[in-house]
Amino acid sequence: MNFLITCLVCIGAMFSHRQGVEGFLREAKGNQMGIEKTAGIKGRPMVGKIYVFKHLKQTDLVGLEGQWCKSVQQKPYLIIQTDNKGYFKQTLKKGTYFVLAEAYDGFFIPSLDQYNQPSKVLIVSQKYTPLNILVNTKAIY
């Protein structure tokens, strides 16, 4: 009987969600010229919310200026709150998602593709996709 229970627990663990996104929300402000680039995480921790969308197009972003917009014309699939160090970790089903960070009474778009559309984040089975967001709207390079 104990063997059967152990097998069921193991099988259940294999089918649980062990994938998603994990990373930090950071902010860079002011003059960044001459600052040596390091392999570590740059910027200061930023407490905030990460908005996850299943579908998102440039036309959904209201007041788009560079990598910042005033609002989004879609309801988010999920909202993730960072801790006081800007860290977040959230399980997600495998698939593609779009991610925005709440910033300056609007939203920061971490990256855009070659067509100036928000970039997709790919979630694969059994892995956490690293997602380190540096909000640099107020930085000078």
Side-chain angles (χ1 to χ4, degrees), residues 51-56 60 71-79 98 100 107:
Y51 288 74
V52 180
F53 298 87
K54 285 196 173 188
H55 305 283
L56 196 63
D60 296 322
S71 63
V72 181
Q73 292 183 335
Q74 272 198 41
K75 188 175 180 178
Y77 170 71
L78 180 70
I79 300 173
F98 298 89
L100 303 180
F107 296 91

Side-chain angles (χ1 to χ4, degrees), residues 72-90:
V72 181
Q73 292 183 335
Q74 272 198 41
K75 188 175 180 178
Y77 170 71
L78 180 70
I79 300 173
I80 306 167
Q81 177 67 51
T82 68
D83 68 11
N84 63 351
K85 294 179 183 173
Y87 175 76
F88 60 92
K89 184 174 184 176
Q90 179 67 48

